[in-house]
Amino acid sequence: YKWNNYEFSMGGRNNFATHKGFIEAGMTFPLWGKLRAYITANSGYGDSLIDYNYKQPRFGIGVALNDIL
């Protein structure tokens, strides 16, 4: 979803057999020129193969390069 210079994203998945799911929300906003910052927060099972069976909340920040390329 785009609103002014901000972009919001959301995604999720659920395993109906085990009732374990995953949800993720993210936001990008301009830093300088075409350079954008990215913030993401997610919680649930299966974020990676190492900890697929543990529920973990995570938070991340970074730089989005999709407008530059």
Side-chain angles (χ1 to χ4, degrees), residues 10-33:
M10 189 167 209
R13 59 183 177 263
N14 188 26
N15 184 338
F16 294 109
T18 61
H19 302 292
K20 293 180 179 180
F22 181 81
I23 189 165
E24 179 178 22
M27 181 179 84
T28 63
F29 55 92
L31 283 178
W32 177 70

Side-chain angles (χ1 to χ4, degrees), residues 2-68:
K2 287 188 176 185
W3 179 66
N4 291 337
N5 286 330
Y6 299 97
E7 294 181 14
F8 300 94
S9 63
M10 189 167 209
R13 59 183 177 263
N14 188 26
N15 184 338
F16 294 109
T18 61
H19 302 292
K20 293 180 179 180
F22 181 81
I23 189 165
E24 179 178 22
M27 181 179 84
T28 63
F29 55 92
L31 283 178
W32 177 70
K34 289 187 173 185
L35 191 63
R36 299 180 66 83
Y38 184 74
I39 297 174
T40 183
N42 52 41
S43 178
Y45 294 87
D47 188 35
S48 70
L49 289 176
I50 294 172
D51 52 2
Y52 72 95
N53 204 23
Y54 299 102
K55 183 176 182 180
Q56 292 185 341
R58 293 189 184 209
F59 178 77
I61 58 173
V63 177
L65 299 174
N66 46 342
D67 285 346
I68 294 174

